[in-house]
Amino acid sequence: MSAVDENRVDLFATFVSLTAEAAELRIRVTELRQELADLGERMNVISTALRSTRS
């Protein structure tokens, strides 16, 4: 295999690896956004409960 072919293989392997990593990161970002939304909902419930106990 020539040096050019080896560089293409390396470049392709890097591309595939980075694409897979990007997909995993997108999934993790989605999970974190959902966790933040869930946390926000819990905070609202607690805040509402605290306000109702003061009345």
Side-chain angles (χ1 to χ4, degrees):
M1 190 181 313
S2 71
V4 171
D5 290 335
E6 287 179 19
N7 285 340
R8 285 184 184 153
V9 169
D10 289 344
L11 183 60
F12 183 72
T14 300
F15 174 78
V16 169
S17 175
L18 290 173
T19 301
E21 187 175 346
E24 290 175 12
L25 289 171
R26 277 193 297 270
I27 291 168
R28 186 63 182 138
V29 165
T30 300
E31 291 170 346
L32 290 171
R33 284 183 176 152
Q34 184 59 54
E35 289 178 27
L36 285 172
D38 293 345
L39 178 60
E41 288 178 23
R42 287 194 303 264
M43 288 172 60
N44 286 336
V45 168
I46 292 168
S47 179
T48 300
L50 288 172
R51 279 195 299 271
S52 70
T53 59
R54 293 182 194 162
S55 304

